[in-house]
Amino acid sequence: MVGRFDASSGPVDIDLSSLPGAEHISRHHAELYREGSQWFVRDLGSTNGVFVRKGGQSAFSPRLQEPTALSDGDELAFGNLMLTFHQD
């Protein structure tokens, strides 16, 4: 679970509340999960959306409506906070 810690909803696995732009992150914003060897991201009904820019592409995807497979180096935007996905 990716989001912001809030005393009423409890902790999240990946807490983005200390990063610049966190004011645009929902408490339960997204989920990163693995099926076999493949990682996926899913929007959990966040206010400001989840977007993916695949390696080599110049633009982010439209707001995710369904789980999306991730590859090493893909960029994720949770609201306006951008992170790069790396897989070991």
Side-chain angles (χ1 to χ4, degrees):
M1 174 102 45
V2 179
R4 286 184 296 112
F5 174 79
D6 180 76
S8 65
S9 60
V12 292
D13 299 309
I14 302 172
D15 184 0
L16 303 176
S17 54
S18 66
L19 298 176
E23 64 274 9
H24 301 287
I25 304 298
S26 299
R27 287 180 212 112
H28 294 145
H29 198 96
E31 180 181 33
L32 292 170
Y33 65 97
R34 191 173 174 165
E35 288 184 1
S37 62
Q38 181 66 60
W39 282 92
F40 292 84
V41 62
R42 167 179 30 225
D43 189 340
L44 296 176
S46 66
T47 300
N48 293 306
V50 176
F51 307 85
V52 176
R53 178 167 45 199
K54 296 291 195 177
Q57 293 187 350
S58 60
F60 278 90
S61 68
R63 182 180 181 144
L64 296 187
Q65 300 298 316
E66 57 186 49
T68 298
L70 296 172
S71 299
D72 190 62
D74 287 350
E75 293 181 77
L76 301 168
F78 302 113
N80 66 349
L81 181 72
M82 291 184 279
L83 303 168
T84 303
F85 175 79
H86 289 289
Q87 179 178 345
D88 286 336

